[in-house]
Amino acid sequence: MRRLATALALTLFTAAPALAAGCGNTGQGFDAWKGEFAQEARAAGVGDRGIAALMAASYSSRTIGADRNQKGVKYSFERFVQIRLGSIDGFAATARKRIQANQAFYDSLERQFGVPAGIIVAIHGMETAYGKTMGTEPVVNSILTVAYDCRRPDLFRPHAIAALKMVDRGMLAPNQKGAFHGELGHTQFLPGNAMRYGVDANGDGRVDFYNMSDALASTANFLRQKGWKAGQPWGPGTHNFAVLNEWNAATVYQQAIAAVAERIHR
């Protein structure tokens, strides 16, 4: 149920050459493929640190297992809420407390990006339980595994290049853990999105998606860049509700974000 649909347009974040390295459906050829992919990575501007992370990466059977067993979101909205949130009111109450504890920060996000706190905190809570569950698989291993896999290499290879560039720039540690398709940080950005929409919110000179301030500002920036209109409603049928599709293509997910945010801002 991750945001893979929006990744289809992300070949434009880097001037990577046409795909040259092969692919494989088992881990047997992964080490040889890394040598081939290193040439593409170099040509796309990946430096020594990124190449070292590439060559040290391991094939992730856990990632392939998760990829092959995606069932999608087939639940009704009510069932999705019960499984994922418990209840709209309870989830919103917790989210509201988080906003109140850091009101000035969320107000600053809304001033800068036009996205209200309820939307940002709903996403944060639904993606990683406010940073408690950011993933168990090294991001570099995961993203390189799906970039190598024959199922969707054209989708994931630009993100693999981005992940290696993030290592070069100190935005990502080579062993940093994330989700099974390379999603990373507090709100689970794919690396290409992280490179394109990342914001240094705490002013320390780098964008760190494992820092809550940077991750939430980047989330607000993503939505703004995708067309979010400040001060406008976000319920089903509105322009802003359609923008939520850019974050996650599952309708029940969009409905849950909108419903939680509505409760928060009552």
PDB file of all heavy atoms in Angstrom, residues 90-107 117-118 120-126 128-132 186-187 211-213 216 264:
ATOM      1  N   GLY A  90     -10.351   8.453  18.062  1.00  0.00           N
ATOM      2  CA  GLY A  90      -9.197   8.175  18.913  1.00  0.00           C
ATOM      3  C   GLY A  90      -7.892   8.572  18.257  1.00  0.00           C
ATOM      4  O   GLY A  90      -7.004   9.162  18.906  1.00  0.00           O
ATOM      5  N   PHE A  91      -7.754   8.256  16.974  1.00  0.00           N
ATOM      6  CA  PHE A  91      -6.547   8.614  16.238  1.00  0.00           C
ATOM      7  C   PHE A  91      -6.402  10.133  16.182  1.00  0.00           C
ATOM      8  O   PHE A  91      -5.314  10.685  16.393  1.00  0.00           O
ATOM      9  CB  PHE A  91      -6.621   8.024  14.831  1.00  0.00           C
ATOM     10  CG  PHE A  91      -5.341   8.071  14.060  1.00  0.00           C
ATOM     11  CD1 PHE A  91      -4.449   7.014  14.096  1.00  0.00           C
ATOM     12  CD2 PHE A  91      -5.026   9.176  13.279  1.00  0.00           C
ATOM     13  CE1 PHE A  91      -3.268   7.042  13.379  1.00  0.00           C
ATOM     14  CE2 PHE A  91      -3.848   9.218  12.553  1.00  0.00           C
ATOM     15  CZ  PHE A  91      -2.965   8.150  12.598  1.00  0.00           C
ATOM     16  N   ALA A  92      -7.513  10.822  15.903  1.00  0.00           N
ATOM     17  CA  ALA A  92      -7.482  12.282  15.809  1.00  0.00           C
ATOM     18  C   ALA A  92      -7.146  12.924  17.150  1.00  0.00           C
ATOM     19  O   ALA A  92      -6.441  13.946  17.200  1.00  0.00           O
ATOM     20  CB  ALA A  92      -8.813  12.798  15.292  1.00  0.00           C
ATOM     21  N   ALA A  93      -7.618  12.339  18.249  1.00  0.00           N
ATOM     22  CA  ALA A  93      -7.328  12.900  19.568  1.00  0.00           C
ATOM     23  C   ALA A  93      -5.833  12.850  19.859  1.00  0.00           C
ATOM     24  O   ALA A  93      -5.246  13.818  20.377  1.00  0.00           O
ATOM     25  CB  ALA A  93      -8.108  12.141  20.630  1.00  0.00           C
ATOM     26  N   THR A  94      -5.205  11.730  19.520  1.00  0.00           N
ATOM     27  CA  THR A  94      -3.760  11.618  19.708  1.00  0.00           C
ATOM     28  C   THR A  94      -3.022  12.605  18.818  1.00  0.00           C
ATOM     29  O   THR A  94      -2.070  13.273  19.255  1.00  0.00           O
ATOM     30  CB  THR A  94      -3.296  10.184  19.385  1.00  0.00           C
ATOM     31  OG1 THR A  94      -3.936   9.283  20.283  1.00  0.00           O
ATOM     32  CG2 THR A  94      -1.789  10.049  19.517  1.00  0.00           C
ATOM     33  N   ALA A  95      -3.453  12.710  17.571  1.00  0.00           N
ATOM     34  CA  ALA A  95      -2.818  13.631  16.640  1.00  0.00           C
ATOM     35  C   ALA A  95      -2.950  15.078  17.115  1.00  0.00           C
ATOM     36  O   ALA A  95      -2.005  15.871  17.018  1.00  0.00           O
ATOM     37  CB  ALA A  95      -3.429  13.464  15.253  1.00  0.00           C
ATOM     38  N   ARG A  96      -4.110  15.412  17.639  1.00  0.00           N
ATOM     39  CA  ARG A  96      -4.336  16.786  18.123  1.00  0.00           C
ATOM     40  C   ARG A  96      -3.378  17.131  19.260  1.00  0.00           C
ATOM     41  O   ARG A  96      -2.847  18.247  19.341  1.00  0.00           O
ATOM     42  CB  ARG A  96      -5.790  16.951  18.566  1.00  0.00           C
ATOM     43  CG  ARG A  96      -6.188  18.396  18.815  1.00  0.00           C
ATOM     44  CD  ARG A  96      -7.642  18.502  19.248  1.00  0.00           C
ATOM     45  NE  ARG A  96      -8.547  18.013  18.231  1.00  0.00           N
ATOM     46  CZ  ARG A  96      -9.285  16.902  18.348  1.00  0.00           C
ATOM     47  NH1 ARG A  96      -9.206  16.164  19.450  1.00  0.00           N
ATOM     48  NH2 ARG A  96     -10.083  16.536  17.384  1.00  0.00           N
ATOM     49  N   LYS A  97      -3.133  16.169  20.146  1.00  0.00           N
ATOM     50  CA  LYS A  97      -2.198  16.399  21.248  1.00  0.00           C
ATOM     51  C   LYS A  97      -0.784  16.651  20.729  1.00  0.00           C
ATOM     52  O   LYS A  97      -0.056  17.491  21.277  1.00  0.00           O
ATOM     53  CB  LYS A  97      -2.203  15.206  22.193  1.00  0.00           C
ATOM     54  CG  LYS A  97      -3.475  15.068  23.004  1.00  0.00           C
ATOM     55  CD  LYS A  97      -3.436  13.822  23.876  1.00  0.00           C
ATOM     56  CE  LYS A  97      -4.743  13.658  24.652  1.00  0.00           C
ATOM     57  NZ  LYS A  97      -4.731  12.399  25.456  1.00  0.00           N
ATOM     58  N   ARG A  98      -0.407  15.952  19.688  1.00  0.00           N
ATOM     59  CA  ARG A  98       0.927  16.163  19.112  1.00  0.00           C
ATOM     60  C   ARG A  98       1.043  17.566  18.521  1.00  0.00           C
ATOM     61  O   ARG A  98       2.075  18.222  18.647  1.00  0.00           O
ATOM     62  CB  ARG A  98       1.220  15.108  18.049  1.00  0.00           C
ATOM     63  CG  ARG A  98       1.359  13.695  18.596  1.00  0.00           C
ATOM     64  CD  ARG A  98       1.837  12.730  17.521  1.00  0.00           C
ATOM     65  NE  ARG A  98       3.189  13.058  17.082  1.00  0.00           N
ATOM     66  CZ  ARG A  98       4.309  12.622  17.655  1.00  0.00           C
ATOM     67  NH1 ARG A  98       4.249  11.853  18.741  1.00  0.00           N
ATOM     68  NH2 ARG A  98       5.491  12.958  17.172  1.00  0.00           N
ATOM     69  N   ILE A  99       0.000  18.009  17.876  1.00  0.00           N
ATOM     70  CA  ILE A  99       0.017  19.366  17.314  1.00  0.00           C
ATOM     71  C   ILE A  99       0.113  20.403  18.425  1.00  0.00           C
ATOM     72  O   ILE A  99       0.912  21.344  18.360  1.00  0.00           O
ATOM     73  CB  ILE A  99      -1.238  19.598  16.455  1.00  0.00           C
ATOM     74  CG1 ILE A  99      -1.217  18.689  15.223  1.00  0.00           C
ATOM     75  CG2 ILE A  99      -1.320  21.074  16.025  1.00  0.00           C
ATOM     76  CD1 ILE A  99      -2.524  18.654  14.472  1.00  0.00           C
ATOM     77  N   GLN A 100      -0.690  20.237  19.449  1.00  0.00           N
ATOM     78  CA  GLN A 100      -0.700  21.202  20.555  1.00  0.00           C
ATOM     79  C   GLN A 100       0.650  21.269  21.261  1.00  0.00           C
ATOM     80  O   GLN A 100       1.046  22.331  21.753  1.00  0.00           O
ATOM     81  CB  GLN A 100      -1.808  20.832  21.540  1.00  0.00           C
ATOM     82  CG  GLN A 100      -3.209  21.033  20.976  1.00  0.00           C
ATOM     83  CD  GLN A 100      -4.292  20.435  21.848  1.00  0.00           C
ATOM     84  OE1 GLN A 100      -4.023  19.657  22.765  1.00  0.00           O
ATOM     85  NE2 GLN A 100      -5.541  20.785  21.560  1.00  0.00           N
ATOM     86  N   ALA A 101       1.364  20.143  21.283  1.00  0.00           N
ATOM     87  CA  ALA A 101       2.669  20.116  21.941  1.00  0.00           C
ATOM     88  C   ALA A 101       3.738  20.838  21.138  1.00  0.00           C
ATOM     89  O   ALA A 101       4.794  21.194  21.674  1.00  0.00           O
ATOM     90  CB  ALA A 101       3.102  18.671  22.184  1.00  0.00           C
ATOM     91  N   ASN A 102       3.479  21.085  19.859  1.00  0.00           N
ATOM     92  CA  ASN A 102       4.466  21.744  19.000  1.00  0.00           C
ATOM     93  C   ASN A 102       3.749  22.677  18.024  1.00  0.00           C
ATOM     94  O   ASN A 102       4.040  22.688  16.822  1.00  0.00           O
ATOM     95  CB  ASN A 102       5.279  20.686  18.241  1.00  0.00           C
ATOM     96  CG  ASN A 102       6.640  21.190  17.798  1.00  0.00           C
ATOM     97  OD1 ASN A 102       7.007  22.344  18.035  1.00  0.00           O
ATOM     98  ND2 ASN A 102       7.387  20.342  17.126  1.00  0.00           N
ATOM     99  N   GLN A 103       2.822  23.466  18.555  1.00  0.00           N
ATOM    100  CA  GLN A 103       1.938  24.274  17.734  1.00  0.00           C
ATOM    101  C   GLN A 103       2.694  25.244  16.829  1.00  0.00           C
ATOM    102  O   GLN A 103       2.346  25.417  15.649  1.00  0.00           O
ATOM    103  CB  GLN A 103       0.978  25.059  18.630  1.00  0.00           C
ATOM    104  CG  GLN A 103      -0.142  25.751  17.868  1.00  0.00           C
ATOM    105  CD  GLN A 103      -1.175  24.797  17.340  1.00  0.00           C
ATOM    106  OE1 GLN A 103      -1.773  24.043  18.108  1.00  0.00           O
ATOM    107  NE2 GLN A 103      -1.421  24.819  16.026  1.00  0.00           N
ATOM    108  N   ALA A 104       3.721  25.874  17.351  1.00  0.00           N
ATOM    109  CA  ALA A 104       4.446  26.871  16.550  1.00  0.00           C
ATOM    110  C   ALA A 104       5.065  26.236  15.312  1.00  0.00           C
ATOM    111  O   ALA A 104       5.079  26.845  14.221  1.00  0.00           O
ATOM    112  CB  ALA A 104       5.532  27.534  17.405  1.00  0.00           C
ATOM    113  N   PHE A 105       5.586  25.027  15.439  1.00  0.00           N
ATOM    114  CA  PHE A 105       6.187  24.348  14.292  1.00  0.00           C
ATOM    115  C   PHE A 105       5.140  24.079  13.218  1.00  0.00           C
ATOM    116  O   PHE A 105       5.357  24.373  12.040  1.00  0.00           O
ATOM    117  CB  PHE A 105       6.838  23.043  14.742  1.00  0.00           C
ATOM    118  CG  PHE A 105       7.273  22.157  13.609  1.00  0.00           C
ATOM    119  CD1 PHE A 105       8.338  22.518  12.795  1.00  0.00           C
ATOM    120  CD2 PHE A 105       6.610  20.961  13.353  1.00  0.00           C
ATOM    121  CE1 PHE A 105       8.736  21.704  11.739  1.00  0.00           C
ATOM    122  CE2 PHE A 105       7.004  20.145  12.307  1.00  0.00           C
ATOM    123  CZ  PHE A 105       8.068  20.512  11.492  1.00  0.00           C
ATOM    124  N   TYR A 106       4.001  23.538  13.612  1.00  0.00           N
ATOM    125  CA  TYR A 106       2.974  23.222  12.613  1.00  0.00           C
ATOM    126  C   TYR A 106       2.386  24.486  12.003  1.00  0.00           C
ATOM    127  O   TYR A 106       2.059  24.512  10.803  1.00  0.00           O
ATOM    128  CB  TYR A 106       1.887  22.340  13.242  1.00  0.00           C
ATOM    129  CG  TYR A 106       2.392  20.968  13.582  1.00  0.00           C
ATOM    130  CD1 TYR A 106       2.678  20.599  14.893  1.00  0.00           C
ATOM    131  CD2 TYR A 106       2.635  20.034  12.575  1.00  0.00           C
ATOM    132  CE1 TYR A 106       3.172  19.340  15.196  1.00  0.00           C
ATOM    133  CE2 TYR A 106       3.131  18.774  12.865  1.00  0.00           C
ATOM    134  CZ  TYR A 106       3.400  18.435  14.178  1.00  0.00           C
ATOM    135  OH  TYR A 106       3.897  17.190  14.467  1.00  0.00           O
ATOM    136  N   ASP A 107       2.278  25.538  12.792  1.00  0.00           N
ATOM    137  CA  ASP A 107       1.819  26.813  12.233  1.00  0.00           C
ATOM    138  C   ASP A 107       2.803  27.323  11.187  1.00  0.00           C
ATOM    139  O   ASP A 107       2.395  27.865  10.145  1.00  0.00           O
ATOM    140  CB  ASP A 107       1.668  27.847  13.346  1.00  0.00           C
ATOM    141  CG  ASP A 107       0.473  27.581  14.251  1.00  0.00           C
ATOM    142  OD1 ASP A 107      -0.385  26.743  13.887  1.00  0.00           O
ATOM    143  OD2 ASP A 107       0.402  28.214  15.327  1.00  0.00           O
ATOM    144  N   ALA A 117      -1.966  21.510   9.672  1.00  0.00           N
ATOM    145  CA  ALA A 117      -1.317  20.548  10.566  1.00  0.00           C
ATOM    146  C   ALA A 117      -2.013  19.196  10.557  1.00  0.00           C
ATOM    147  O   ALA A 117      -1.358  18.150  10.611  1.00  0.00           O
ATOM    148  CB  ALA A 117      -1.291  21.112  11.984  1.00  0.00           C
ATOM    149  N   GLY A 118      -3.341  19.191  10.500  1.00  0.00           N
ATOM    150  CA  GLY A 118      -4.068  17.932  10.558  1.00  0.00           C
ATOM    151  C   GLY A 118      -3.693  16.972   9.452  1.00  0.00           C
ATOM    152  O   GLY A 118      -3.593  15.755   9.669  1.00  0.00           O
ATOM    153  N   ILE A 120      -0.763  16.902   7.797  1.00  0.00           N
ATOM    154  CA  ILE A 120       0.618  16.458   8.000  1.00  0.00           C
ATOM    155  C   ILE A 120       0.694  15.421   9.120  1.00  0.00           C
ATOM    156  O   ILE A 120       1.356  14.378   8.979  1.00  0.00           O
ATOM    157  CB  ILE A 120       1.525  17.658   8.331  1.00  0.00           C
ATOM    158  CG1 ILE A 120       1.517  18.681   7.181  1.00  0.00           C
ATOM    159  CG2 ILE A 120       2.947  17.183   8.620  1.00  0.00           C
ATOM    160  CD1 ILE A 120       1.974  18.120   5.862  1.00  0.00           C
ATOM    161  N   VAL A 121       0.018  15.682  10.220  1.00  0.00           N
ATOM    162  CA  VAL A 121       0.094  14.765  11.352  1.00  0.00           C
ATOM    163  C   VAL A 121      -0.663  13.471  11.056  1.00  0.00           C
ATOM    164  O   VAL A 121      -0.245  12.380  11.490  1.00  0.00           O
ATOM    165  CB  VAL A 121      -0.425  15.444  12.634  1.00  0.00           C
ATOM    166  CG1 VAL A 121      -0.420  14.473  13.796  1.00  0.00           C
ATOM    167  CG2 VAL A 121       0.448  16.644  12.976  1.00  0.00           C
ATOM    168  N   ALA A 122      -1.744  13.551  10.302  1.00  0.00           N
ATOM    169  CA  ALA A 122      -2.444  12.322   9.906  1.00  0.00           C
ATOM    170  C   ALA A 122      -1.533  11.427   9.075  1.00  0.00           C
ATOM    171  O   ALA A 122      -1.471  10.206   9.291  1.00  0.00           O
ATOM    172  CB  ALA A 122      -3.705  12.673   9.123  1.00  0.00           C
ATOM    173  N   ILE A 123      -0.811  12.015   8.137  1.00  0.00           N
ATOM    174  CA  ILE A 123       0.129  11.237   7.321  1.00  0.00           C
ATOM    175  C   ILE A 123       1.229  10.644   8.190  1.00  0.00           C
ATOM    176  O   ILE A 123       1.560   9.453   8.077  1.00  0.00           O
ATOM    177  CB  ILE A 123       0.719  12.124   6.205  1.00  0.00           C
ATOM    178  CG1 ILE A 123      -0.356  12.436   5.158  1.00  0.00           C
ATOM    179  CG2 ILE A 123       1.930  11.456   5.558  1.00  0.00           C
ATOM    180  CD1 ILE A 123       0.068  13.451   4.121  1.00  0.00           C
ATOM    181  N   HIS A 124       1.792  11.458   9.071  1.00  0.00           N
ATOM    182  CA  HIS A 124       2.875  10.990   9.940  1.00  0.00           C
ATOM    183  C   HIS A 124       2.413   9.802  10.789  1.00  0.00           C
ATOM    184  O   HIS A 124       3.119   8.782  10.905  1.00  0.00           O
ATOM    185  CB  HIS A 124       3.319  12.150  10.833  1.00  0.00           C
ATOM    186  CG  HIS A 124       4.581  11.911  11.585  1.00  0.00           C
ATOM    187  ND1 HIS A 124       4.942  12.678  12.683  1.00  0.00           N
ATOM    188  CD2 HIS A 124       5.584  11.000  11.440  1.00  0.00           C
ATOM    189  CE1 HIS A 124       6.102  12.263  13.137  1.00  0.00           C
ATOM    190  NE2 HIS A 124       6.507  11.236  12.423  1.00  0.00           N
ATOM    191  N   GLY A 125       1.232   9.927  11.368  1.00  0.00           N
ATOM    192  CA  GLY A 125       0.727   8.857  12.209  1.00  0.00           C
ATOM    193  C   GLY A 125       0.411   7.598  11.425  1.00  0.00           C
ATOM    194  O   GLY A 125       0.701   6.479  11.878  1.00  0.00           O
ATOM    195  N   MET A 126      -0.163   7.743  10.247  1.00  0.00           N
ATOM    196  CA  MET A 126      -0.532   6.576   9.456  1.00  0.00           C
ATOM    197  C   MET A 126       0.674   5.888   8.835  1.00  0.00           C
ATOM    198  O   MET A 126       0.696   4.666   8.684  1.00  0.00           O
ATOM    199  CB  MET A 126      -1.538   6.985   8.379  1.00  0.00           C
ATOM    200  CG  MET A 126      -2.907   7.335   8.940  1.00  0.00           C
ATOM    201  SD  MET A 126      -4.062   7.914   7.685  1.00  0.00           S
ATOM    202  CE  MET A 126      -4.236   6.434   6.688  1.00  0.00           C
ATOM    203  N   THR A 128       4.055   5.905   9.941  1.00  0.00           N
ATOM    204  CA  THR A 128       5.062   5.293  10.825  1.00  0.00           C
ATOM    205  C   THR A 128       4.709   5.377  12.312  1.00  0.00           C
ATOM    206  O   THR A 128       5.596   5.201  13.150  1.00  0.00           O
ATOM    207  CB  THR A 128       6.438   5.966  10.632  1.00  0.00           C
ATOM    208  OG1 THR A 128       6.353   7.347  11.043  1.00  0.00           O
ATOM    209  CG2 THR A 128       6.928   5.868   9.204  1.00  0.00           C
ATOM    210  N   ALA A 129       3.438   5.618  12.615  1.00  0.00           N
ATOM    211  CA  ALA A 129       3.051   5.806  14.019  1.00  0.00           C
ATOM    212  C   ALA A 129       3.928   6.861  14.679  1.00  0.00           C
ATOM    213  O   ALA A 129       4.472   6.676  15.758  1.00  0.00           O
ATOM    214  CB  ALA A 129       3.111   4.484  14.793  1.00  0.00           C
ATOM    215  N   TYR A 130       4.076   7.990  13.983  1.00  0.00           N
ATOM    216  CA  TYR A 130       4.854   9.145  14.462  1.00  0.00           C
ATOM    217  C   TYR A 130       6.332   8.801  14.659  1.00  0.00           C
ATOM    218  O   TYR A 130       6.960   9.262  15.611  1.00  0.00           O
ATOM    219  CB  TYR A 130       4.247   9.721  15.744  1.00  0.00           C
ATOM    220  CG  TYR A 130       2.767   9.965  15.634  1.00  0.00           C
ATOM    221  CD1 TYR A 130       1.862   9.193  16.355  1.00  0.00           C
ATOM    222  CD2 TYR A 130       2.263  10.941  14.774  1.00  0.00           C
ATOM    223  CE1 TYR A 130       0.495   9.396  16.239  1.00  0.00           C
ATOM    224  CE2 TYR A 130       0.899  11.148  14.647  1.00  0.00           C
ATOM    225  CZ  TYR A 130       0.021  10.380  15.382  1.00  0.00           C
ATOM    226  OH  TYR A 130      -1.332  10.576  15.262  1.00  0.00           O
ATOM    227  N   GLY A 131       6.852   7.997  13.752  1.00  0.00           N
ATOM    228  CA  GLY A 131       8.274   7.675  13.779  1.00  0.00           C
ATOM    229  C   GLY A 131       8.636   6.415  14.535  1.00  0.00           C
ATOM    230  O   GLY A 131       9.812   6.055  14.600  1.00  0.00           O
ATOM    231  N   LYS A 132       7.662   5.706  15.049  1.00  0.00           N
ATOM    232  CA  LYS A 132       7.959   4.492  15.822  1.00  0.00           C
ATOM    233  C   LYS A 132       8.255   3.286  14.940  1.00  0.00           C
ATOM    234  O   LYS A 132       8.950   2.361  15.369  1.00  0.00           O
ATOM    235  CB  LYS A 132       6.782   4.165  16.747  1.00  0.00           C
ATOM    236  CG  LYS A 132       6.551   5.195  17.839  1.00  0.00           C
ATOM    237  CD  LYS A 132       5.332   4.824  18.673  1.00  0.00           C
ATOM    238  CE  LYS A 132       5.042   5.891  19.726  1.00  0.00           C
ATOM    239  NZ  LYS A 132       3.800   5.570  20.483  1.00  0.00           N
ATOM    240  N   HIS A 186      10.405   9.389   8.485  1.00  0.00           N
ATOM    241  CA  HIS A 186       9.180   9.547   9.267  1.00  0.00           C
ATOM    242  C   HIS A 186       7.913   9.402   8.441  1.00  0.00           C
ATOM    243  O   HIS A 186       6.888   8.950   8.958  1.00  0.00           O
ATOM    244  CB  HIS A 186       9.169  10.921   9.948  1.00  0.00           C
ATOM    245  CG  HIS A 186       9.959  10.963  11.218  1.00  0.00           C
ATOM    246  ND1 HIS A 186       9.408  10.767  12.451  1.00  0.00           N
ATOM    247  CD2 HIS A 186      11.288  11.175  11.427  1.00  0.00           C
ATOM    248  CE1 HIS A 186      10.342  10.864  13.387  1.00  0.00           C
ATOM    249  NE2 HIS A 186      11.492  11.114  12.795  1.00  0.00           N
ATOM    250  N   THR A 187       7.955   9.811   7.178  1.00  0.00           N
ATOM    251  CA  THR A 187       6.745   9.718   6.348  1.00  0.00           C
ATOM    252  C   THR A 187       6.957   8.868   5.104  1.00  0.00           C
ATOM    253  O   THR A 187       6.147   8.896   4.190  1.00  0.00           O
ATOM    254  CB  THR A 187       6.224  11.117   5.967  1.00  0.00           C
ATOM    255  OG1 THR A 187       7.274  11.867   5.360  1.00  0.00           O
ATOM    256  CG2 THR A 187       5.703  11.857   7.192  1.00  0.00           C
ATOM    257  N   ASN A 211      14.966  12.929  10.737  1.00  0.00           N
ATOM    258  CA  ASN A 211      14.704  14.057  11.626  1.00  0.00           C
ATOM    259  C   ASN A 211      13.272  14.506  11.378  1.00  0.00           C
ATOM    260  O   ASN A 211      12.895  14.791  10.235  1.00  0.00           O
ATOM    261  CB  ASN A 211      15.689  15.192  11.317  1.00  0.00           C
ATOM    262  CG  ASN A 211      15.346  16.465  12.045  1.00  0.00           C
ATOM    263  OD1 ASN A 211      14.499  17.227  11.591  1.00  0.00           O
ATOM    264  ND2 ASN A 211      15.991  16.703  13.169  1.00  0.00           N
ATOM    265  N   MET A 212      12.444  14.568  12.402  1.00  0.00           N
ATOM    266  CA  MET A 212      11.025  14.821  12.219  1.00  0.00           C
ATOM    267  C   MET A 212      10.752  16.154  11.538  1.00  0.00           C
ATOM    268  O   MET A 212       9.892  16.258  10.658  1.00  0.00           O
ATOM    269  CB  MET A 212      10.294  14.758  13.561  1.00  0.00           C
ATOM    270  CG  MET A 212       8.782  14.766  13.410  1.00  0.00           C
ATOM    271  SD  MET A 212       7.897  14.809  14.989  1.00  0.00           S
ATOM    272  CE  MET A 212       8.113  16.530  15.449  1.00  0.00           C
ATOM    273  N   SER A 213      11.473  17.201  11.920  1.00  0.00           N
ATOM    274  CA  SER A 213      11.226  18.516  11.337  1.00  0.00           C
ATOM    275  C   SER A 213      11.459  18.505   9.831  1.00  0.00           C
ATOM    276  O   SER A 213      10.631  18.994   9.054  1.00  0.00           O
ATOM    277  CB  SER A 213      12.125  19.566  11.999  1.00  0.00           C
ATOM    278  OG  SER A 213      11.822  19.701  13.368  1.00  0.00           O
ATOM    279  N   LEU A 216       8.686  16.260   8.025  1.00  0.00           N
ATOM    280  CA  LEU A 216       7.343  16.828   7.933  1.00  0.00           C
ATOM    281  C   LEU A 216       7.316  18.054   7.026  1.00  0.00           C
ATOM    282  O   LEU A 216       6.349  18.259   6.280  1.00  0.00           O
ATOM    283  CB  LEU A 216       6.811  17.156   9.317  1.00  0.00           C
ATOM    284  CG  LEU A 216       6.659  15.970  10.276  1.00  0.00           C
ATOM    285  CD1 LEU A 216       5.858  16.376  11.508  1.00  0.00           C
ATOM    286  CD2 LEU A 216       6.017  14.770   9.603  1.00  0.00           C
ATOM    287  N   ILE A 264      -9.546  16.697  13.550  1.00  0.00           N
ATOM    288  CA  ILE A 264      -8.550  17.495  14.265  1.00  0.00           C
ATOM    289  C   ILE A 264      -8.915  18.969  14.245  1.00  0.00           C
ATOM    290  O   ILE A 264      -8.767  19.683  15.250  1.00  0.00           O
ATOM    291  CB  ILE A 264      -7.157  17.288  13.635  1.00  0.00           C
ATOM    292  CG1 ILE A 264      -6.639  15.873  13.931  1.00  0.00           C
ATOM    293  CG2 ILE A 264      -6.151  18.338  14.134  1.00  0.00           C
ATOM    294  CD1 ILE A 264      -5.401  15.504  13.156  1.00  0.00           C
TER     295      ILE A 264
END
